Structures are given as structure tokens and as C-alpha cells.
Amino acid sequence: MKLIGENLNIMSKKYGKALKERDAKTLQELAIQEAEAGMDWIDLNIGPAGKTGEELMSWLVPVIHEVVDLPLALDTSNIKAIEAGLKAHKKGRALINSIMVRPERMDALLPLAAQYEADFIGLLWGPEGMPRDENERGALCAELVFKATGEFGIAPERIFIDPIQTPVNVQQNQIMSVLEFMKMFPDIAPGCLSTIGLSNVSNGPPEHLRPILNQVMLIIWKRHGMYSAIVDTFDKPLHDIARGKRPEIEALVHKVEDGEPIDMASLSKEEQDYVKTAKVILGHNLYSDSWLEI
Ligand code: THG
């Protein structure tokens, strides 16, 4: 799987501050770490960024490209900031993050994707907000891909569909809906790619339990053909899974998904934790903050 590093974001205590203070050195150190960790893109998440967004993105893109050659994901709802980022992006293909399936967003951003020959993430968020099930996801996806390819001549392989990751502790059924969507995806949008904001799954649960939730979720998306994910640059075990270095853990999670019997007594504590976490993510067990102790 391809990986997009999430850590350069305005919500982060350290890097949010560095963004506000235009502290190039701190942000460049992070970018170098992201490249060394093997990220394929660096997400530049500046938030909505109001009036200063344009100036911030035009400053940030060359600052990051001064130290790394990776393509950058321009993560903001600010259209002017996206365009400023596209103008400043000289190394490889920029990735617009993201274009929602709303007329005003598509009309403003699809022409920019075409003009600057950028890749883009199509976020399956419609005029009425988050899709309720896999069929609404499918309809939003078809609408966006039809418009992007038909009206703007954008090639399918430039389009990354993001079916939206929700936290495990609020909407377990939404995860199942994304799973069902992923089964239909190759037929709905042939040739298109996919991505997901993985860390959202563990937004809310206790801090020390976030990595195992993220890892199990990644195993499941990987099995369902997810092309890429937006992830924590510093979660090395997660990268190992993405690169196929933990086949035994992947096989265990697949067993849970397939409803195969598992002899818990024969497993190590680590293996048992992966099984329990998979059962919670897949809705076999209800979420509680103490799911590993049960
Ligand atoms: N889809 C797309 N883009 C996205 C998201 C998505 N961009 C933003 C977000 N979701 C993905 N990025 C993050 C970045 C950080 C965290 C989660 C998702 C995160 N940070 C820690 C926290 O908030 O506790 C730590 C913050 C810090 O660095 O201090 O969880 O879904 N297309």
C-alpha cells in the first residue's frame, strides 16, 4: 500500500504552532522524517486557514520541497489555498485533498485538477453530509467520477476515492458500509484508486490503544484493495503491515473476518489482542474502552 504522512497538521501541538509561526526548520525536520519513514506523499493539512491560507500554502510548498522530493497532498477546504499550492508545486504531481461531491466544490476544484494536471482525492461527502450506507457511497462515487472524467477529461488513475473512515467507538456500522462499498468499487469506478484517513478509526479511544486499532483497520482495508492510506508517520509496525511484513497477523485478522473458528488458548497475548480488536472493528463485539481485557 502507498502511504500519505498525516503528521504535518494544524491540529498538532508542535507542528500546528510551527505552521502559525512560519517556523520552516521544524516543518522541514518533520518532512525529512516522513521521507525517511518511506511515506509516498506528505499531507500538508493547514485546516480551513481563512484569509491567510493562500499565503501559507504558497510559503509551505517550497519550504517542504527545499528538503524532500516527495509529492505533496494539499489538505485544506480553502480553494484559494489549494490553487496557491498547485502553482507552487514543482516536484512531481500534487494531490488535491480533497474534493467533496458537492456542486460548488466540484465546479471550483475539478477545473484546477485538470489545469494543473494534479491528482485528487474525491471525498464521498455529499450535499447532505456523510453517506448513510454503501449505496449512497456508490452513488456519490459514480457522480464524481462521471463528472471528472466526462466533463474534465481527468484520467481515472488520477482519482483517489476516499469512502470516509469513522471512529470505531461511534459508528461500527459505518465501517461495514465502507467494506461493502469497497467490494463494489472496481465496478463503479474502474481504474480509479482509493485512500482513507486511517487514524480517524481510533479518534476517541484511549491513546495507548490507537496503534492496534489503526493496524487492524489497515489490514482490513488492505485486503479489500485499498490503494493508499493517510497514516501516522511514526507508527513503524503499521508501515510493516502496509508493506506485507506481517503476513501471520494479516492471516489472523482475515480468519476473524471470514468467521473461521479461532482457538484463543493457542495464541500469544499479542495475537489474542489482534483477534479481539478485529472482532470489535468488524462489529462481532460491541465497542468498549476495555475491549482487550474482556
Ligand atoms: N480523509 C482525507 N484527508 C484527511 C482525513 C480524511 N485529512 C485529515 C485527517 N482526515 C487525516 N489526518 C489526521 C491527522 C492527525 C490525526 C488524525 C488524522 C490525529 N492526530 C493526533 C490527535 O489528534 O490526537 C495527534 C495530533 C498531534 O500530532 O499532536 O489523530 O479522513 N482525505
Short mmCIF file of all heavy atoms in Angstrom, two decimals, residues 183-248:
data_model
loop_
_atom_site.label_atom_id
_atom_site.label_comp_id
_atom_site.label_asym_id
_atom_site.label_seq_id
_atom_site.Cartn_x
_atom_site.Cartn_y
_atom_site.Cartn_z
N LYS A 183 -16.18 -3.52 -2.02
CA LYS A 183 -16.44 -4.67 -2.89
C LYS A 183 -17.03 -4.22 -4.23
O LYS A 183 -16.79 -4.84 -5.26
CB LYS A 183 -17.40 -5.65 -2.19
CG LYS A 183 -16.78 -6.31 -0.96
CD LYS A 183 -17.78 -7.26 -0.28
CE LYS A 183 -17.23 -7.74 1.06
NZ LYS A 183 -18.27 -8.35 1.91
N MET A 184 -17.82 -3.14 -4.21
CA MET A 184 -18.46 -2.65 -5.44
C MET A 184 -17.55 -1.71 -6.23
O MET A 184 -17.76 -1.48 -7.41
CB MET A 184 -19.74 -1.86 -5.10
CG MET A 184 -20.69 -2.54 -4.15
SD MET A 184 -22.27 -1.62 -4.02
CE MET A 184 -21.82 -0.23 -3.02
N PHE A 185 -16.57 -1.13 -5.52
CA PHE A 185 -15.78 -0.04 -6.07
C PHE A 185 -15.16 -0.29 -7.45
O PHE A 185 -15.28 0.55 -8.36
CB PHE A 185 -14.72 0.38 -5.03
CG PHE A 185 -13.81 1.48 -5.46
CD1 PHE A 185 -14.31 2.72 -5.80
CD2 PHE A 185 -12.43 1.27 -5.51
CE1 PHE A 185 -13.45 3.75 -6.19
CE2 PHE A 185 -11.57 2.29 -5.90
CZ PHE A 185 -12.08 3.52 -6.24
N PRO A 186 -14.55 -1.47 -7.68
CA PRO A 186 -13.93 -1.68 -9.01
C PRO A 186 -14.95 -1.63 -10.15
O PRO A 186 -14.60 -1.25 -11.27
CB PRO A 186 -13.32 -3.08 -8.90
CG PRO A 186 -13.20 -3.36 -7.44
CD PRO A 186 -14.31 -2.61 -6.78
N ASP A 187 -16.20 -2.00 -9.86
CA ASP A 187 -17.23 -1.94 -10.89
C ASP A 187 -17.79 -0.53 -11.07
O ASP A 187 -18.15 -0.13 -12.18
CB ASP A 187 -18.39 -2.89 -10.54
CG ASP A 187 -17.93 -4.34 -10.56
OD1 ASP A 187 -17.12 -4.69 -11.45
OD2 ASP A 187 -18.36 -5.12 -9.69
N ILE A 188 -17.89 0.21 -9.97
CA ILE A 188 -18.46 1.56 -10.04
C ILE A 188 -17.47 2.52 -10.69
O ILE A 188 -17.86 3.39 -11.47
CB ILE A 188 -18.79 2.08 -8.62
CG1 ILE A 188 -19.84 1.20 -7.96
CG2 ILE A 188 -19.25 3.54 -8.65
CD1 ILE A 188 -20.12 1.58 -6.51
N ALA A 189 -16.19 2.36 -10.35
CA ALA A 189 -15.19 3.33 -10.80
C ALA A 189 -13.95 2.62 -11.32
O ALA A 189 -12.88 2.67 -10.71
CB ALA A 189 -14.82 4.27 -9.65
N PRO A 190 -14.07 1.92 -12.46
CA PRO A 190 -12.94 1.13 -12.96
C PRO A 190 -11.70 2.01 -13.18
O PRO A 190 -11.82 3.10 -13.74
CB PRO A 190 -13.44 0.56 -14.29
CG PRO A 190 -14.88 0.91 -14.41
CD PRO A 190 -15.24 1.87 -13.34
N GLY A 191 -10.57 1.53 -12.72
CA GLY A 191 -9.31 2.25 -12.92
C GLY A 191 -9.02 3.32 -11.88
O GLY A 191 -7.90 3.83 -11.81
N CYS A 192 -10.02 3.67 -11.06
CA CYS A 192 -9.77 4.70 -10.05
C CYS A 192 -9.03 4.08 -8.87
O CYS A 192 -9.07 2.87 -8.64
CB CYS A 192 -11.07 5.31 -9.55
SG CYS A 192 -11.88 6.37 -10.76
N LEU A 193 -8.35 4.92 -8.10
CA LEU A 193 -7.61 4.50 -6.91
C LEU A 193 -8.43 4.83 -5.67
O LEU A 193 -9.53 5.37 -5.78
CB LEU A 193 -6.25 5.19 -6.89
CG LEU A 193 -5.45 5.05 -8.20
CD1 LEU A 193 -4.16 5.85 -8.12
CD2 LEU A 193 -5.14 3.59 -8.51
N SER A 194 -7.88 4.48 -4.50
CA SER A 194 -8.63 4.74 -3.26
C SER A 194 -7.67 5.13 -2.14
O SER A 194 -6.47 4.83 -2.19
CB SER A 194 -9.42 3.49 -2.86
OG SER A 194 -8.59 2.35 -2.88
N THR A 195 -8.23 5.80 -1.14
CA THR A 195 -7.45 6.17 0.04
C THR A 195 -8.39 6.32 1.21
O THR A 195 -9.62 6.36 1.04
CB THR A 195 -6.65 7.47 -0.20
OG1 THR A 195 -5.62 7.57 0.79
CG2 THR A 195 -7.53 8.72 -0.12
N ILE A 196 -7.83 6.41 2.43
CA ILE A 196 -8.67 6.55 3.63
C ILE A 196 -7.87 7.20 4.76
O ILE A 196 -6.67 6.97 4.87
CB ILE A 196 -9.22 5.16 4.06
CG1 ILE A 196 -10.36 5.29 5.05
CG2 ILE A 196 -8.13 4.25 4.61
CD1 ILE A 196 -11.63 4.63 4.64
N GLY A 197 -8.53 8.04 5.54
CA GLY A 197 -7.89 8.70 6.69
C GLY A 197 -7.89 7.74 7.87
O GLY A 197 -8.75 7.79 8.75
N LEU A 198 -6.91 6.84 7.88
CA LEU A 198 -6.92 5.69 8.78
C LEU A 198 -7.07 6.06 10.26
O LEU A 198 -7.85 5.44 10.99
CB LEU A 198 -5.63 4.88 8.59
CG LEU A 198 -5.59 3.54 9.31
CD1 LEU A 198 -6.51 2.53 8.63
CD2 LEU A 198 -4.17 3.01 9.39
N SER A 199 -6.33 7.08 10.72
CA SER A 199 -6.29 7.39 12.16
C SER A 199 -7.64 7.82 12.71
O SER A 199 -7.84 7.82 13.93
CB SER A 199 -5.25 8.47 12.45
OG SER A 199 -4.00 8.09 11.94
N ASN A 200 -8.56 8.20 11.82
CA ASN A 200 -9.90 8.55 12.32
C ASN A 200 -10.52 7.38 13.07
O ASN A 200 -11.36 7.59 13.94
CB ASN A 200 -10.84 8.93 11.15
CG ASN A 200 -10.37 10.14 10.36
OD1 ASN A 200 -9.48 10.87 10.79
ND2 ASN A 200 -10.96 10.34 9.19
N VAL A 201 -10.15 6.15 12.72
CA VAL A 201 -10.80 4.99 13.35
C VAL A 201 -10.56 4.97 14.85
O VAL A 201 -11.38 4.47 15.61
CB VAL A 201 -10.34 3.65 12.71
CG1 VAL A 201 -8.94 3.25 13.13
CG2 VAL A 201 -11.33 2.54 13.04
N SER A 202 -9.42 5.53 15.28
CA SER A 202 -9.06 5.48 16.70
C SER A 202 -9.16 6.86 17.35
O SER A 202 -8.53 7.11 18.37
CB SER A 202 -7.64 4.94 16.84
OG SER A 202 -6.72 5.80 16.18
N ASN A 203 -9.94 7.73 16.75
CA ASN A 203 -10.15 9.05 17.31
C ASN A 203 -11.19 8.93 18.42
O ASN A 203 -12.35 8.67 18.15
CB ASN A 203 -10.68 9.97 16.18
CG ASN A 203 -10.51 11.43 16.54
OD1 ASN A 203 -10.35 11.78 17.71
ND2 ASN A 203 -10.55 12.28 15.54
N GLY A 204 -10.74 9.05 19.67
CA GLY A 204 -11.64 8.89 20.81
C GLY A 204 -11.17 7.82 21.79
O GLY A 204 -11.06 8.10 22.98
N PRO A 205 -10.87 6.59 21.35
CA PRO A 205 -10.37 5.56 22.26
C PRO A 205 -9.08 5.99 22.97
O PRO A 205 -8.39 6.89 22.50
CB PRO A 205 -10.10 4.37 21.32
CG PRO A 205 -11.05 4.57 20.20
CD PRO A 205 -11.15 6.05 20.02
N PRO A 206 -8.75 5.32 24.10
CA PRO A 206 -7.55 5.68 24.86
C PRO A 206 -6.30 5.68 23.97
O PRO A 206 -6.15 4.82 23.10
CB PRO A 206 -7.45 4.58 25.91
CG PRO A 206 -8.83 3.99 25.99
CD PRO A 206 -9.49 4.21 24.69
N GLU A 207 -5.42 6.65 24.23
CA GLU A 207 -4.24 6.90 23.41
C GLU A 207 -3.40 5.64 23.15
O GLU A 207 -3.01 5.37 22.01
CB GLU A 207 -3.39 7.96 24.13
CG GLU A 207 -2.39 8.69 23.27
CD GLU A 207 -2.97 9.41 22.07
OE1 GLU A 207 -4.12 9.92 22.15
OE2 GLU A 207 -2.27 9.47 21.04
N HIS A 208 -3.16 4.83 24.21
CA HIS A 208 -2.26 3.68 24.05
C HIS A 208 -2.90 2.58 23.20
O HIS A 208 -2.22 1.66 22.77
CB HIS A 208 -1.82 3.14 25.42
CG HIS A 208 -2.92 2.49 26.20
ND1 HIS A 208 -3.92 3.21 26.83
CD2 HIS A 208 -3.20 1.19 26.46
CE1 HIS A 208 -4.74 2.38 27.44
NE2 HIS A 208 -4.34 1.15 27.22
N LEU A 209 -4.20 2.66 22.95
CA LEU A 209 -4.85 1.62 22.15
C LEU A 209 -5.03 2.04 20.69
O LEU A 209 -5.52 1.26 19.87
CB LEU A 209 -6.21 1.27 22.76
CG LEU A 209 -6.12 0.67 24.17
CD1 LEU A 209 -7.50 0.51 24.79
CD2 LEU A 209 -5.40 -0.67 24.13
N ARG A 210 -4.60 3.26 20.37
CA ARG A 210 -4.78 3.73 18.99
C ARG A 210 -4.00 2.89 17.98
O ARG A 210 -4.54 2.52 16.95
CB ARG A 210 -4.41 5.22 18.87
CG ARG A 210 -5.38 6.13 19.64
CD ARG A 210 -5.24 7.59 19.26
NE ARG A 210 -5.71 7.80 17.88
CZ ARG A 210 -5.83 9.00 17.33
NH1 ARG A 210 -5.51 10.08 18.01
NH2 ARG A 210 -6.26 9.11 16.10
N PRO A 211 -2.70 2.59 18.24
CA PRO A 211 -1.94 1.85 17.22
C PRO A 211 -2.58 0.52 16.82
O PRO A 211 -2.68 0.22 15.64
CB PRO A 211 -0.57 1.65 17.88
CG PRO A 211 -0.44 2.82 18.80
CD PRO A 211 -1.82 3.05 19.35
N ILE A 212 -3.05 -0.28 17.77
CA ILE A 212 -3.59 -1.59 17.39
C ILE A 212 -4.88 -1.44 16.59
O ILE A 212 -5.12 -2.18 15.63
CB ILE A 212 -3.75 -2.56 18.60
CG1 ILE A 212 -4.00 -3.98 18.08
CG2 ILE A 212 -4.85 -2.12 19.55
CD1 ILE A 212 -3.78 -5.09 19.08
N LEU A 213 -5.69 -0.44 16.94
CA LEU A 213 -6.90 -0.19 16.14
C LEU A 213 -6.52 0.21 14.72
O LEU A 213 -7.07 -0.30 13.74
CB LEU A 213 -7.72 0.95 16.77
CG LEU A 213 -8.65 0.57 17.93
CD1 LEU A 213 -9.18 1.82 18.61
CD2 LEU A 213 -9.81 -0.31 17.45
N ASN A 214 -5.56 1.13 14.60
CA ASN A 214 -5.13 1.57 13.26
C ASN A 214 -4.57 0.39 12.46
O ASN A 214 -4.85 0.26 11.27
CB ASN A 214 -4.06 2.66 13.38
CG ASN A 214 -4.58 3.94 14.02
OD1 ASN A 214 -5.80 4.14 14.12
ND2 ASN A 214 -3.69 4.80 14.47
N GLN A 215 -3.79 -0.45 13.14
CA GLN A 215 -3.15 -1.57 12.43
C GLN A 215 -4.17 -2.58 11.92
O GLN A 215 -4.10 -3.02 10.78
CB GLN A 215 -2.12 -2.25 13.35
CG GLN A 215 -0.89 -1.38 13.58
CD GLN A 215 -0.06 -1.85 14.76
OE1 GLN A 215 -0.06 -3.03 15.10
NE2 GLN A 215 0.65 -0.92 15.38
N VAL A 216 -5.12 -2.94 12.77
CA VAL A 216 -6.12 -3.93 12.35
C VAL A 216 -6.99 -3.35 11.23
O VAL A 216 -7.30 -4.02 10.25
CB VAL A 216 -6.97 -4.40 13.55
CG1 VAL A 216 -8.13 -5.27 13.08
CG2 VAL A 216 -6.10 -5.18 14.54
N MET A 217 -7.35 -2.07 11.40
CA MET A 217 -8.15 -1.43 10.35
C MET A 217 -7.40 -1.45 9.02
O MET A 217 -7.97 -1.73 7.97
CB MET A 217 -8.47 0.01 10.78
CG MET A 217 -9.54 0.69 9.98
SD MET A 217 -11.23 0.07 10.25
CE MET A 217 -11.50 -0.95 8.83
N LEU A 218 -6.08 -1.18 9.07
CA LEU A 218 -5.28 -1.18 7.83
C LEU A 218 -5.28 -2.57 7.18
O LEU A 218 -5.39 -2.68 5.95
CB LEU A 218 -3.84 -0.74 8.12
CG LEU A 218 -2.99 -0.59 6.86
CD1 LEU A 218 -3.22 0.78 6.24
CD2 LEU A 218 -1.51 -0.80 7.13
N ILE A 219 -5.15 -3.61 8.00
CA ILE A 219 -5.15 -4.98 7.45
C ILE A 219 -6.45 -5.22 6.68
O ILE A 219 -6.45 -5.79 5.58
CB ILE A 219 -5.00 -6.02 8.59
CG1 ILE A 219 -3.58 -5.95 9.18
CG2 ILE A 219 -5.30 -7.44 8.08
CD1 ILE A 219 -3.38 -6.78 10.43
N ILE A 220 -7.56 -4.76 7.26
CA ILE A 220 -8.86 -5.00 6.62
C ILE A 220 -8.97 -4.21 5.31
O ILE A 220 -9.36 -4.75 4.27
CB ILE A 220 -10.00 -4.68 7.61
CG1 ILE A 220 -9.95 -5.67 8.78
CG2 ILE A 220 -11.36 -4.73 6.91
CD1 ILE A 220 -10.81 -5.31 9.96
N TRP A 221 -8.57 -2.95 5.34
CA TRP A 221 -8.64 -2.15 4.08
C TRP A 221 -7.71 -2.73 3.02
O TRP A 221 -8.04 -2.77 1.84
CB TRP A 221 -8.29 -0.69 4.32
CG TRP A 221 -9.25 0.06 5.20
CD1 TRP A 221 -8.92 1.04 6.10
CD2 TRP A 221 -10.68 -0.06 5.26
NE1 TRP A 221 -10.06 1.51 6.72
CE2 TRP A 221 -11.15 0.85 6.23
CE3 TRP A 221 -11.62 -0.87 4.62
CZ2 TRP A 221 -12.50 0.99 6.55
CZ3 TRP A 221 -12.97 -0.75 4.93
CH2 TRP A 221 -13.39 0.17 5.88
N LYS A 222 -6.54 -3.15 3.45
CA LYS A 222 -5.56 -3.71 2.51
C LYS A 222 -6.16 -4.92 1.79
O LYS A 222 -6.06 -5.06 0.57
CB LYS A 222 -4.31 -4.12 3.30
CG LYS A 222 -3.15 -4.58 2.45
CD LYS A 222 -1.93 -4.83 3.34
CE LYS A 222 -0.77 -5.33 2.51
NZ LYS A 222 -0.09 -6.47 3.14
N ARG A 223 -6.82 -5.79 2.56
CA ARG A 223 -7.43 -6.97 1.97
C ARG A 223 -8.51 -6.59 0.97
O ARG A 223 -8.75 -7.31 0.00
CB ARG A 223 -8.05 -7.84 3.06
CG ARG A 223 -8.52 -9.17 2.53
CD ARG A 223 -9.28 -9.94 3.57
NE ARG A 223 -9.26 -11.36 3.27
CZ ARG A 223 -10.03 -12.26 3.87
NH1 ARG A 223 -10.85 -11.88 4.82
NH2 ARG A 223 -9.96 -13.52 3.54
N HIS A 224 -9.17 -5.46 1.20
CA HIS A 224 -10.26 -5.04 0.32
C HIS A 224 -9.79 -4.08 -0.77
O HIS A 224 -10.58 -3.33 -1.33
CB HIS A 224 -11.40 -4.46 1.15
CG HIS A 224 -12.13 -5.55 1.89
ND1 HIS A 224 -13.20 -6.21 1.36
CD2 HIS A 224 -11.87 -6.15 3.07
CE1 HIS A 224 -13.60 -7.15 2.20
NE2 HIS A 224 -12.80 -7.13 3.25
N GLY A 225 -8.49 -4.10 -1.04
CA GLY A 225 -7.96 -3.40 -2.21
C GLY A 225 -7.72 -1.92 -2.04
O GLY A 225 -7.54 -1.22 -3.03
N MET A 226 -7.71 -1.43 -0.80
CA MET A 226 -7.43 -0.01 -0.61
C MET A 226 -6.02 0.28 -1.15
O MET A 226 -5.06 -0.38 -0.78
CB MET A 226 -7.52 0.34 0.88
CG MET A 226 -7.56 1.82 1.19
SD MET A 226 -9.05 2.67 0.66
CE MET A 226 -10.29 2.09 1.83
N TYR A 227 -5.93 1.28 -2.02
CA TYR A 227 -4.66 1.57 -2.70
C TYR A 227 -3.68 2.30 -1.79
O TYR A 227 -2.47 2.10 -1.87
CB TYR A 227 -4.96 2.41 -3.94
CG TYR A 227 -3.74 2.91 -4.67
CD1 TYR A 227 -3.00 2.07 -5.50
CD2 TYR A 227 -3.33 4.24 -4.53
CE1 TYR A 227 -1.89 2.54 -6.18
CE2 TYR A 227 -2.22 4.72 -5.21
CZ TYR A 227 -1.49 3.87 -6.03
OH TYR A 227 -0.39 4.33 -6.69
N SER A 228 -4.21 3.19 -0.95
CA SER A 228 -3.33 4.01 -0.12
C SER A 228 -4.07 4.38 1.17
O SER A 228 -5.27 4.16 1.29
CB SER A 228 -2.95 5.29 -0.87
OG SER A 228 -4.09 6.09 -1.12
N ALA A 229 -3.32 4.94 2.14
CA ALA A 229 -3.95 5.40 3.37
C ALA A 229 -3.17 6.59 3.92
O ALA A 229 -1.96 6.70 3.70
CB ALA A 229 -4.01 4.28 4.40
N ILE A 230 -3.90 7.47 4.61
CA ILE A 230 -3.29 8.61 5.28
C ILE A 230 -2.99 8.16 6.70
O ILE A 230 -3.91 7.78 7.43
CB ILE A 230 -4.25 9.82 5.27
CG1 ILE A 230 -4.71 10.10 3.84
CG2 ILE A 230 -3.59 11.05 5.89
CD1 ILE A 230 -5.90 11.05 3.75
N VAL A 231 -1.70 8.13 7.06
CA VAL A 231 -1.30 7.44 8.30
C VAL A 231 -0.29 8.23 9.12
O VAL A 231 0.33 9.19 8.64
CB VAL A 231 -0.68 6.05 7.98
CG1 VAL A 231 -1.63 5.17 7.21
CG2 VAL A 231 0.65 6.21 7.23
N ASP A 232 -0.10 7.75 10.36
CA ASP A 232 0.89 8.29 11.27
C ASP A 232 2.29 7.89 10.79
O ASP A 232 2.61 6.70 10.72
CB ASP A 232 0.62 7.75 12.67
CG ASP A 232 1.58 8.28 13.71
OD1 ASP A 232 2.53 9.02 13.35
OD2 ASP A 232 1.40 7.95 14.89
N THR A 233 3.12 8.87 10.49
CA THR A 233 4.48 8.64 10.00
C THR A 233 5.33 7.87 11.01
O THR A 233 6.33 7.26 10.64
CB THR A 233 5.17 10.00 9.74
OG1 THR A 233 4.36 10.75 8.85
CG2 THR A 233 6.55 9.84 9.18
N PHE A 234 4.95 7.94 12.28
CA PHE A 234 5.83 7.37 13.32
C PHE A 234 5.37 6.00 13.81
O PHE A 234 5.93 5.46 14.74
CB PHE A 234 5.97 8.38 14.47
CG PHE A 234 6.57 9.68 13.99
CD1 PHE A 234 5.80 10.83 13.91
CD2 PHE A 234 7.87 9.71 13.53
CE1 PHE A 234 6.35 12.02 13.41
CE2 PHE A 234 8.43 10.89 13.04
CZ PHE A 234 7.66 12.04 12.98
N ASP A 235 4.37 5.43 13.18
CA ASP A 235 3.90 4.09 13.58
C ASP A 235 4.55 3.03 12.69
O ASP A 235 4.00 2.57 11.70
CB ASP A 235 2.37 4.03 13.48
CG ASP A 235 1.80 2.74 14.06
OD1 ASP A 235 2.59 1.80 14.32
OD2 ASP A 235 0.57 2.67 14.24
N LYS A 236 5.77 2.65 13.09
CA LYS A 236 6.57 1.70 12.31
C LYS A 236 5.87 0.35 12.11
O LYS A 236 5.85 -0.19 11.00
CB LYS A 236 7.95 1.56 12.98
CG LYS A 236 8.88 0.52 12.41
CD LYS A 236 9.62 1.03 11.18
CE LYS A 236 10.76 0.12 10.73
NZ LYS A 236 10.52 -1.32 10.74
N PRO A 237 5.28 -0.23 13.18
CA PRO A 237 4.57 -1.51 12.99
C PRO A 237 3.47 -1.42 11.93
O PRO A 237 3.23 -2.37 11.19
CB PRO A 237 3.97 -1.80 14.38
CG PRO A 237 4.85 -1.06 15.34
CD PRO A 237 5.31 0.17 14.61
N LEU A 238 2.83 -0.25 11.85
CA LEU A 238 1.78 -0.05 10.84
C LEU A 238 2.38 -0.10 9.43
O LEU A 238 1.83 -0.72 8.52
CB LEU A 238 1.10 1.31 11.07
CG LEU A 238 -0.04 1.66 10.13
CD1 LEU A 238 -1.30 0.93 10.58
CD2 LEU A 238 -0.30 3.15 10.08
N HIS A 239 3.55 0.53 9.26
CA HIS A 239 4.20 0.53 7.94
C HIS A 239 4.59 -0.90 7.54
O HIS A 239 4.51 -1.27 6.38
CB HIS A 239 5.44 1.42 7.92
CG HIS A 239 5.19 2.81 8.44
ND1 HIS A 239 6.19 3.64 8.82
CD2 HIS A 239 4.04 3.49 8.65
CE1 HIS A 239 5.67 4.79 9.26
NE2 HIS A 239 4.38 4.72 9.16
N ASP A 240 5.05 -1.67 8.56
CA ASP A 240 5.43 -3.06 8.27
C ASP A 240 4.23 -3.83 7.72
O ASP A 240 4.38 -4.62 6.78
CB ASP A 240 5.95 -3.75 9.55
CG ASP A 240 7.34 -3.27 9.93
OD1 ASP A 240 8.00 -2.62 9.08
OD2 ASP A 240 7.77 -3.53 11.07
N ILE A 241 3.07 -3.61 8.29
CA ILE A 241 1.86 -4.29 7.80
C ILE A 241 1.56 -3.84 6.37
O ILE A 241 1.30 -4.66 5.49
CB ILE A 241 0.67 -4.01 8.74
CG1 ILE A 241 0.88 -4.72 10.08
CG2 ILE A 241 -0.64 -4.47 8.08
CD1 ILE A 241 -0.09 -4.30 11.17
N ALA A 242 1.63 -2.52 6.14
CA ALA A 242 1.33 -1.98 4.81
C ALA A 242 2.24 -2.61 3.76
O ALA A 242 1.85 -2.81 2.61
CB ALA A 242 1.47 -0.47 4.80
N ARG A 243 3.47 -2.93 4.17
CA ARG A 243 4.46 -3.47 3.23
C ARG A 243 4.51 -4.99 3.24
O ARG A 243 5.45 -5.59 2.71
CB ARG A 243 5.83 -2.88 3.55
CG ARG A 243 5.79 -1.38 3.34
CD ARG A 243 7.09 -0.68 3.60
NE ARG A 243 6.85 0.75 3.46
CZ ARG A 243 7.08 1.65 4.40
NH1 ARG A 243 7.58 1.28 5.56
NH2 ARG A 243 6.82 2.92 4.18
N GLY A 244 3.52 -5.61 3.87
CA GLY A 244 3.40 -7.07 3.81
C GLY A 244 4.41 -7.83 4.65
O GLY A 244 4.69 -8.99 4.39
N LYS A 245 4.95 -7.16 5.71
CA LYS A 245 5.96 -7.84 6.54
C LYS A 245 5.37 -8.59 7.72
O LYS A 245 6.11 -9.18 8.51
CB LYS A 245 6.98 -6.81 7.05
CG LYS A 245 7.86 -6.24 5.94
CD LYS A 245 8.90 -5.29 6.50
CE LYS A 245 9.60 -4.53 5.39
NZ LYS A 245 10.24 -3.30 5.90
N ARG A 246 4.03 -8.55 7.88
CA ARG A 246 3.39 -9.28 8.98
C ARG A 246 2.29 -10.21 8.47
O ARG A 246 1.14 -10.12 8.90
CB ARG A 246 2.80 -8.29 10.00
CG ARG A 246 3.80 -7.35 10.67
CD ARG A 246 4.85 -8.06 11.51
NE ARG A 246 4.31 -8.96 12.51
CZ ARG A 246 3.89 -8.58 13.72
NH1 ARG A 246 3.95 -7.33 14.09
NH2 ARG A 246 3.41 -9.47 14.58
N PRO A 247 2.66 -11.13 7.55
CA PRO A 247 1.62 -11.98 6.95
C PRO A 247 0.84 -12.81 7.98
O PRO A 247 -0.33 -13.08 7.80
CB PRO A 247 2.41 -12.89 6.00
CG PRO A 247 3.84 -12.78 6.40
CD PRO A 247 4.01 -11.44 7.03
N GLU A 248 1.51 -13.19 9.09
CA GLU A 248 0.83 -14.06 10.07
C GLU A 248 -0.28 -13.27 10.79
O GLU A 248 -1.35 -13.82 11.06
CB GLU A 248 1.84 -14.70 11.03
CG GLU A 248 2.50 -13.82 12.10
CD GLU A 248 3.35 -12.63 11.63
OE1 GLU A 248 3.68 -12.52 10.42
OE2 GLU A 248 3.68 -11.79 12.46
#
